[in-house]
Amino acid sequence: MNNIAFDDFNLEKCSDRLLPVIIQDAVSLRVLMLGYMDREAFNMTVSSGKVTFFSRTRNKLWTKGETSGNFLNVVEMYPDCDNDTLLIMANPVGPTCHRGTVSCFDTPDSEGFVRKLSALIKRRHAEMPENSYTTRLFIKGVKKIAQKVGEEAVESAIEAVDGNRPRFIYEAADLMYHYLVLLEQMGCDISDIETELLFRHS
């Protein structure tokens, strides 16, 4: 974590002398939320490694996730050029917004299609609609799903070795879909894989 002190910031330019803090996902680089810190919230964030804000509505400190479990684990902290705003790169545990969404900002296509597909697969698993290929996979169970992942991986590898880019893309799409189904079957999602990759990277 960067060696930044609260006294480094120019709070005279900040509303109510509170430091605006932008939270960004350290992996996806998506902007997650905006909050405010006083000195105590800043120091608690630095010491605990979990983002803590000063809640203006409740007039007290608030560690993000203290009730929901959806903590924001600090990776890096960066002041802006005028030293009146702080950017925190964080590893979120679960959704950031109280609505259950990844971000508090609803930007167009912000989830990306792969995440939208993952969410659709999760709904299929919960609802198990008839005449759905995804439903049939879940009914057949983990062995069949894992078999399909293996088959699509081999087919993707074959097309890659042959240098057939269009066919590789086609087979890789099949692989991605069945991989997402397997993640759901195992009770996992993309964020679990991102967390593991971030751990390895750090």
Side-chain angles (χ1 to χ4, degrees):
M1 189 182 303
N2 306 73
N3 186 21
I4 305 172
F6 193 73
D7 288 333
D8 293 337
F9 292 98
N10 183 6
L11 295 183
E12 292 182 359
K13 299 177 63 176
C14 301
S15 176
D16 299 325
R17 298 296 178 93
L18 293 174
L19 181 67
V21 181
I22 300 167
I23 308 298
Q24 186 176 24
D25 190 307
V27 175
S28 69
L29 303 183
R30 175 141 181 223
V31 175
L32 301 177
M33 67 174 294
L34 169 71
Y36 295 86
M37 290 182 180
D38 62 2
R39 180 186 298 273
E40 189 176 0
F42 177 88
N43 290 338
M44 186 175 293
T45 297
V46 171
S47 63
S48 70
K50 298 185 184 302
V51 176
T52 297
F53 297 108
F54 178 81
S55 173
R56 295 173 298 169
T57 56
R58 290 178 284 180
N59 197 35
K60 67 175 186 177
L61 295 186
W62 164 56
T63 298
K64 178 71 178 70
E66 61 189 11
T67 56
S68 66
N70 298 330
F71 294 101
L72 293 168
N73 295 317
V74 178
V75 177
E76 296 286 351
M77 299 169 61
Y78 301 97
D80 78 336
C81 57
D82 292 322
N83 276 2
D84 59 4
T85 306
L86 178 65
L87 172 66
I88 295 183
M89 309 290 289
N91 180 21
V93 179
T96 297
C97 185
H98 71 280
R99 301 169 301 171
T101 56
V102 172
S103 171
C104 294
F105 299 97
D106 297 324
T107 53
D109 297 322
S110 54
E111 293 296 320
F113 181 73
V114 172
R115 287 186 180 274
K116 290 180 180 179
L117 178 58
S118 178
L120 176 61
I121 290 170
K122 188 179 293 292
R123 290 198 300 273
R124 290 284 191 269
H125 197 194
E127 299 168 1
M128 298 293 278
E130 295 182 7
N131 302 319
S132 164
Y133 175 68
T134 306
T135 296
R136 292 198 295 273
L137 284 174
F138 284 128
I139 291 173
K140 291 177 180 178
V142 66
K143 289 186 178 179
K144 180 61 177 179
I145 300 170
Q147 177 187 339
K148 289 296 295 182
V149 170
E151 291 172 358
E152 301 299 345
V154 170
E155 291 173 4
S156 298
I158 290 172
E159 300 300 344
V161 171
D162 287 347
N164 191 333
R165 187 173 183 275
R167 287 298 305 173
F168 170 75
I169 292 173
Y170 183 89
E171 298 297 347
D174 281 348
L175 173 59
M176 178 64 74
Y177 161 75
H178 287 93
Y179 175 67
L180 292 174
V181 174
L182 184 60
L183 283 178
E184 170 62 20
Q185 177 69 29
M186 296 302 297
C188 305
D189 61 26
I190 296 172
S191 64
D192 294 307
I193 308 305
E194 289 175 336
T195 299
E196 175 63 21
L197 290 171
L198 179 63
F199 173 76
R200 296 182 187 185
H201 178 70
S202 61

